[in-house]
Amino acid sequence: MDNVQILTGNQAAALGAKLCQVQVVSAYPITPQTSLTEVLSHYIEGGELQAEYVRVESEHSAMTVCIAASTAGARVFTSTSSHGLLYMHEQLHWAAGSRLPIVMCCINRGVGAPWSIFNDQQDSIAQRDTGWIQIYCRDNQEIIDTVIQAYRIAEAVYVPVMVCYDGFVLSHTTMPVRIPDERDVRAFLPSYQPHTILNSQEPRNINPVIFPWRRMDAEGCLRDGYMELRYKLQKALEEAKPVIGKACSDYTAIFGRVHEGLFWRYRLDDADALLIGMGSLATEATMAVDRLREQGVKAGVLGVRLYRPFPREEIKNCIGQRKALLIFEKDISYGYEGALCSDVKAALYGSEVKAPVHNFICGLGGRDVKAEELADAVKTSLKMIGAGNLKQQTIWLNCRTEKSNDGQSF
Amino acid sequence: MTDNLFKISEREYILPGNRACQGCGLSLAYRHALKALGENTILTIPASCLTVLHGLYPITSVEIPCLNCTFASTAASASGLVAGLKALNRNDVTVVAVAGDGGTYDIGIQALSGAAERGTDFIFVCYDNEGYMNTGTQRSSATPPGALTTTTPVLTKQEPKKDMLKIMEAHGLPYIATVCPSYPLDLHEKFTKAKSVQGTRYVQIYAPCPPGWGYLPKDTVKIGRLAVETGIFVLFEIEDGRFRLTGRSRVLAKKGKRVPVSDYLKAQGRFRQISPEQAEKLQRSVDGRWDEYVKRAGK
Ligand SMILES: Cc1ncc(C[n+]2csc(CCOP(=O)(O)OP(=O)(O)O)c2C)c(N)n1
Ligand code: SF4
């Protein structure tokens, strides 16, 4: 019998961490992540989960605790949002540079100034280049499953994993969630083997100052310089793709649920217009696609699940000979365009793909995005493209200043 | 019981030829501190002169396992080690965080206050060389008034030194001690005691620094003694709230006369621009604090 519970995204994430038998938890409250840390506190104080909970005074310290405890050999978990994630920035680099399999949930929220507690994905996108694997979830089932998969992935490739999901839209919305069986999780997830040694029999100085060049150790063995370590981190991320694929197929074999590893597809096979997005925005796009299909527009969705490492080849192949790419995202690289748009275009460079690209910046700071608005935007775009206007557009959806979108109404 | 030379381990944990400067007060103190702490210790250290002393990858001069951490995060890093070791049932290890005054008084104070408030079971050691030495002698909140630094290059530091010991005492810690490398037995004894106590322990090392303070490397021990003889630095410990002067400071309080602060100032290039008013004010504040300590110590 399936064990189904009605859970918020945050409850699902906490339960996922518990099922993985995390040993050290450290977190600091911030909306909309707070309820996740509260659920974990209940588990630990109530004796349901044997773990150390370090109630730190800041997110910088939360990530530091995870780094040190993971180095000592414990499986660790943390979570944050928005300014909490930004405050961790230094430690995010340190965690990835230390090659520690930390798993963190980022409950996506806009960043100030001015203050916004509502959802967009600027926070995690701004941490794109810290060396973390980033996975975006579309619903609460995927959150609990992804947390469990994340430990398997992180501990296989020694790269930390950020499980991202949308604040309020998922974190505070209840949905039925199938709860994985504890024994199955144990079968799926081997115990954590740290790569570091921290004991007096073999005293080591971990993460000291390192030279740019390679250098002999005391035994005359040539050791890596800074460049070599950075190359290895990059390689580990690139090589994580098949590991992620395997983790997902093994997961399906044990638990029966399918989460395509790198990205998911919706009504894609014969689609001419491709809506591309991440997280709950991509879920919204599936409803837009249903409407468009009813009106005879052959549209489909490519939902990016794995954002780093970016599934370049796979996305390029999936795009193939489609007629239009409509990239929707809740972030902006100021002075250029949406980050996902740049990434998708870069994946296509040098290929045969010539489809025009329209980039939609939407839902910033929690601005509502409705399926019919997405559908209307797609139709307007397709009309422009049909009229021979192939230039890339960056459209601020539903943004009501006089000058937005050059007077075009989206 | 006072330690004597025979109680100090012959085992060296810092190998010769490390990268600290000649005459470094930190390295002298560190050598004896590690002897007292022993090998069942895990260190965590932030960016500082100590990072350099520990050596550049893949060679290290210290034979105790060490986790390097970012500048602001030392006490949180210790908290993570403590939590991780506890989760793994490794209960016999002493976690020791060691940071400079910048990593303690300034950028590290938030994490330190948090870890202390949580009663984290570790020793936090601040070696106070009264400035950011690793980056070339900039002012910190531990720099004394009247000192030239590269960020107070003309007017000298105008503000008084932050009283970190009081701040730590306000956290209600079970053990607080001050040590100076010129008095290694007192230092060894306090580290041995710190190791035996549970909870957050705070030890502050007075760490003379030849290039940063402007004196010859051969004079480090002498400068340390002058600091204690003048009352600029006072040797004491606070055990569960009970204050006690120790070593030379205790003797000075009972009998003997403190040396004028001006002798201390004259011995160091960093004070060459101190004004008579600043020096006078410093003498008064040293006297005031000394009286406070003697009163607290009783008799
Ligand atoms: C966040 C951050 N800011 C600045 C630095 C640069 N930095 C490295 S060591 C240091 C000074 C350390 O001073 P202190 O803690 O007093 O130790 P000391 O060098 O005197 O031994 C500074 C400013 C850094 N590493 N990280
Ligand atoms: S600068 Fe000062 S504290 Fe740093 S290593 Fe040299 S003597 Fe020691």
Side-chain angles (χ1 to χ4, degrees):
Chain A
M1 260 310 277
D2 271 354
N3 173 8
V4 178
Q5 293 179 21
I6 308 295
L7 299 179
T8 64
N10 282 349
Q11 289 168 329
L15 190 50
K18 178 176 166 242
L19 286 167
C20 294
Q21 296 182 308
V22 296
Q23 294 164 298
V24 173
V25 174
S26 186
Y28 191 79
I30 182 167
T31 304
Q33 159 265 26
T34 309
S35 57
L36 200 175
T37 65
E38 289 171 342
V39 175
L40 279 170
S41 307
H42 268 282
Y43 287 152
I44 294 170
E45 288 202 351
E48 282 179 70
L49 173 62
Q50 286 290 318
E52 296 296 313
Y53 195 132
V54 189
R55 294 162 187 83
V56 283
E57 76 304 324
S58 74
E59 289 87 355
H60 194 277
S61 288
M63 185 48 67
T64 308
V65 164
C66 289
I67 289 167
S70 180
T71 307
R75 182 174 285 162
V76 302
F77 179 78
T78 187
S79 59
T80 191
S81 297
S82 182
H83 287 258
L85 187 70
L86 305 188
Y87 198 36
M88 278 182 187
H89 180 70
E90 179 185 33
Q91 301 309 86
L92 296 183
H93 279 284
W94 200 266
S98 309
R99 302 295 302 274
L100 294 168
I102 297 166
V103 172
M104 166 165 66
C105 285
C106 171
I107 296 84
N108 289 115
R109 163 182 156 179
V111 298
W115 286 115
S116 167
I117 60 161
F118 301 108
N119 164 244
D120 64 38
Q121 294 174 344
Q122 191 72 21
D123 51 359
S124 54
I125 291 292
Q127 306 306 320
R128 178 186 74 176
D129 299 333
T130 53
W132 283 58
I133 291 171
Q134 284 196 359
I135 302 176
Y136 288 78
C137 301
R138 69 189 128 152
D139 59 32
N140 297 357
Q141 183 68 60
E142 193 171 7
I143 293 172
I144 191 168
D145 293 336
T146 303
V147 167
I148 297 165
Q149 293 174 0
Y151 280 103
R152 163 95 168 245
I153 296 160
E155 290 169 12
V157 296
Y158 293 107
V159 176
V161 177
M162 198 183 295
V163 177
C164 305
Y165 57 89
D166 292 307
F168 296 113
V169 183
L170 296 181
S171 67
H172 287 63
T173 307
T174 54
M175 299 175 192
V177 174
R178 286 200 171 73
I179 312 302
D181 179 75
E182 217 178 300
R183 275 159 311 178
D184 288 345
V185 174
R186 234 166 292 159
F188 173 76
L189 185 64
S191 62
Y192 166 39
Q193 304 298 329
H195 64 70
T196 353
I197 295 171
L198 257 185
N199 69 35
S200 53
Q201 284 77 52
E202 241 181 292
R204 293 184 185 190
N205 190 23
I206 297 164
N207 291 330
V209 181
I210 188 168
F211 285 109
W213 49 86
R214 295 187 300 159
R215 190 167 180 242
M216 298 276 192
D217 67 13
E219 275 84 47
C221 184
L222 202 56
R223 298 291 182 181
D224 290 338
Y226 185 86
M227 278 287 276
E228 284 73 27
L229 292 184
R230 283 299 168 266
Y231 175 78
K232 285 180 177 176
L233 177 58
Q234 161 71 359
K235 267 279 177 250
L237 267 107
E238 283 179 355
E239 286 163 8
K241 275 187 260 178
V243 174
I244 294 165
K246 176 85 166 56
C248 291
S249 57
D250 286 357
Y251 199 85
T252 303
I254 296 179
F255 300 95
R257 283 184 295 283
V258 181
H259 301 291
E260 287 118 309
L262 313 182
F263 55 86
W264 50 269
R265 304 143 211 259
Y266 183 77
R267 301 183 82 167
L268 260 193
D269 291 345
D270 63 339
D272 292 329
L274 216 52
L275 283 67
I276 304 177
M278 301 198 292
S280 62
L281 182 58
T283 310
E284 199 69 28
T286 62
M287 291 180 260
V289 159
D290 290 344
R291 282 165 190 272
L292 288 165
R293 289 263 174 185
E294 278 165 22
Q295 295 161 33
V297 181
K298 281 199 201 160
V301 179
L302 188 164
V304 176
R305 184 168 183 260
L306 182 68
Y307 179 60
R308 280 294 180 275
F310 196 68
R312 178 185 7 211
E313 280 299 308
E314 296 81 355
I315 285 183
K316 186 187 81 186
N317 294 340
C318 178
I319 288 172
Q321 295 310 312
R322 320 269 175 182
K323 304 221 166 60
L325 302 180
L326 308 149
I327 302 170
F328 293 86
E329 55 193 306
K330 293 187 175 184
D331 66 85
I332 173 80
S333 172
Y334 294 106
Y336 196 28
E337 60 190 3
L340 181 62
C341 179
S342 300
D343 286 327
V344 170
K345 284 192 301 179
L348 301 176
Y349 183 76
S351 75
E352 296 299 297
V353 179
K354 295 283 182 296
V357 173
H358 280 195
N359 186 201
F360 296 88
I361 307 302
C362 42
L364 298 190
R367 173 72 54 99
D368 242 1
V369 187
K370 296 199 186 75
E372 64 254 36
E373 289 165 350
L374 295 181
D376 288 347
V378 171
K379 279 190 287 181
T380 311
S381 271
L382 293 179
K383 216 177 283 167
M384 287 168 75
I385 291 166
N389 182 356
L390 301 183
K391 212 178 106 221
Q392 187 202 314
Q393 310 282 326
T394 299
I395 297 142
W396 286 63
L397 194 67
N398 233 335
C399 182
R400 303 269 183 246
T401 74
E402 288 121 69
K403 294 226 173 106
S404 44
N405 307 325
D406 302 329
Q408 271 281 358
S409 81
F410 279 93
Chain B
M1 266 299 286
T2 315
D3 275 2
N4 60 46
L5 276 177
F6 299 106
K7 284 203 196 154
I8 296 182
S9 162
E10 278 179 31
R11 164 105 198 249
E12 297 291 346
Y13 294 100
I14 307 180
L15 303 173
N18 71 65
R19 287 177 179 259
C21 310
Q22 217 182 16
C24 172
L26 156 67
S27 67
L28 206 54
Y30 202 44
R31 175 178 172 220
H32 291 110
L34 293 185
K35 282 171 182 271
L37 293 168
E39 64 176 34
N40 225 357
T41 299
I42 296 180
L43 297 162
T44 186
I45 64 170
S48 59
C49 282
L50 189 52
T51 326
V52 179
L53 185 155
H54 265 254
L56 310 178
Y57 184 79
I59 291 171
T60 178
S61 63
V62 181
E63 292 195 307
I64 302 268
C66 176
L67 178 62
N68 286 266
C69 62
T70 58
F71 198 19
S73 71
T74 321
S77 182
S79 302
L81 286 172
V82 169
L85 294 168
K86 196 162 170 211
L88 299 170
N89 286 319
R90 285 179 64 184
N91 298 319
D92 57 339
V93 183
T94 310
V95 173
V96 181
V98 191
D101 47 290
T104 305
Y105 289 61
D106 294 340
I107 198 167
I109 195 170
Q110 173 177 313
L112 172 56
S113 179
E117 180 273 330
R118 294 189 297 274
T120 309
D121 191 17
F122 80 121
I123 306 176
F124 191 101
V125 182
C126 168
Y127 65 92
D128 184 4
N129 54 23
E130 305 194 316
Y132 299 147
M133 296 316 179
N134 182 243
T135 37
T137 322
Q138 292 81 34
R139 166 210 193 274
S140 80
S141 62
T143 305
L148 290 169
T149 68
T150 57
T151 49
T152 53
V154 179
L155 299 178
T156 75
K157 176 156 178 215
Q158 298 297 303
E159 303 78 12
K161 182 182 172 90
K162 188 194 276 186
D163 193 341
M164 192 64 197
L165 288 153
K166 267 203 185 129
I167 294 173
M168 293 319 291
E169 201 185 345
H171 286 77
L173 304 186
Y175 189 71
I176 293 173
T178 61
V179 300
C180 169
S182 307
Y183 305 92
L185 293 179
D186 179 76
L187 183 151
H188 188 272
E189 191 176 324
K190 285 169 175 165
F191 272 95
T192 308
K193 195 179 276 181
K195 189 182 165 178
S196 72
V197 173
Q198 279 248 323
T200 305
R201 295 86 91 189
Y202 180 77
V203 182
Q204 190 161 304
I205 303 174
Y206 172 86
C209 165
W213 294 10
Y215 67 85
L216 294 175
K218 69 176 174 58
D219 290 335
T220 291
V221 171
K222 216 185 276 175
I223 295 286
R225 286 202 188 124
L226 257 179
V228 172
E229 295 290 343
T230 51
I232 281 268
F233 188 74
V234 181
L235 295 168
F236 66 79
E237 63 183 4
I238 308 172
E239 263 183 284
D240 285 325
R242 284 188 310 279
F243 180 93
R244 200 172 77 87
L245 289 169
T246 69
R248 183 65 194 154
S249 295
R250 190 180 161 89
V251 174
L252 270 174
K254 278 193 184 146
K255 51 185 186 214
K257 199 165 162 294
R258 281 180 299 126
V259 173
V261 166
S262 56
D263 287 14
Y264 176 80
L265 301 178
K266 266 184 268 169
Q268 299 168 56
R270 63 174 167 160
F271 292 115
R272 66 183 176 275
Q273 303 277 35
I274 194 169
S275 67
E277 297 75 38
Q278 275 178 313
E280 169 64 31
K281 201 169 154 196
L282 183 59
Q283 177 72 62
R284 265 183 288 139
S285 91
V286 167
D287 293 345
R289 210 184 35 182
W290 175 258
D291 291 345
E292 223 176 275
Y293 282 148
V294 172
K295 204 161 132 207
R296 273 189 82 179
K299 289 168 276 158

